[in-house]
Amino acid sequence: MTAADHSIQLAKVAALAAEEKLAEKVLAIDVSEQMPLTDVFVIASAPSERQVGAIVDEVEDRLRELGSKPIRREGEREGRWVLIDFGDIIVHVQHEEEREYYALERLWKDCPEIDLATVTAPARPGVAGADEADEA
């Protein structure tokens, strides 16, 4: 069993949103066979607490646009490791020191990584696409 297509799409959107806010080392791991509660972990890091917050806000905003609301959000006050649980996916945004120390990707190394190289942004409501702007 692998992660559902919907979960993979949400993970790709979350990864793209994180990258747009300059997240570092963004990856997605299919944990569906090991963890019954979710399909995918998205992991991203940033060099400062402020940037962690900006990444978290962007990820949450982008997934909300797709109709996915967070079930819970933990760690926001400290800004060192914020977990956002969307049910189908869980997004971890960590300060780079926490990322190195906890090494989640090492803990889940037996799970397949999801290819994020083909990430494309779905159309955002109320935002004209590049093609439309060229025609104007």
Side-chain angles (χ1 to χ4, degrees), residues 6-79:
H6 176 72
S7 300
I8 292 171
Q9 180 63 25
L10 289 177
K12 288 182 175 187
V13 171
L16 184 62
E19 287 176 350
E20 287 176 357
K21 290 296 179 180
L22 306 178
E24 300 170 354
K25 298 186 263 180
V26 179
L27 64 92
I29 302 170
D30 180 344
V31 297
S32 60
E33 288 192 21
Q34 303 294 324
M35 184 169 252
L37 301 175
T38 193
D39 283 346
V40 179
F41 279 172
V42 176
I43 306 169
S45 53
S48 71
E49 290 87 351
R50 186 176 192 155
Q51 192 171 0
V52 167
I55 294 165
V56 166
D57 290 344
E58 185 66 14
V59 167
E60 198 170 275
D61 289 347
R62 292 292 292 277
L63 290 182
R64 217 172 267 225
E65 289 172 1
L66 298 176
S68 219
K69 295 180 183 178
I71 296 168
R72 73 173 191 253
R73 186 173 175 174
E74 296 180 10
E76 184 177 10
R77 184 173 296 159
E78 297 83 20

Side-chain angles (χ1 to χ4, degrees), residues 93-123:
V93 183
Q94 298 175 300
H95 189 282
E96 58 192 19
E97 293 170 1
E98 272 67 12
R99 175 85 179 257
E100 186 176 323
Y101 182 79
Y102 291 101
L104 291 179
E105 53 268 43
R106 184 176 45 100
L107 292 173
W108 295 95
K109 68 182 177 194
D110 293 337
C111 297
E113 195 169 322
I114 295 170
D115 180 15
L116 296 175
T118 59
V119 175
T120 56

Side-chain angles (χ1 to χ4, degrees), residues 77-93:
R77 184 173 296 159
E78 297 83 20
R80 303 285 295 180
W81 180 351
V82 179
L83 176 148
I84 317 167
D85 183 351
F86 289 94
D88 295 329
I89 70 168
I90 295 176
V91 179
H92 299 268
V93 183

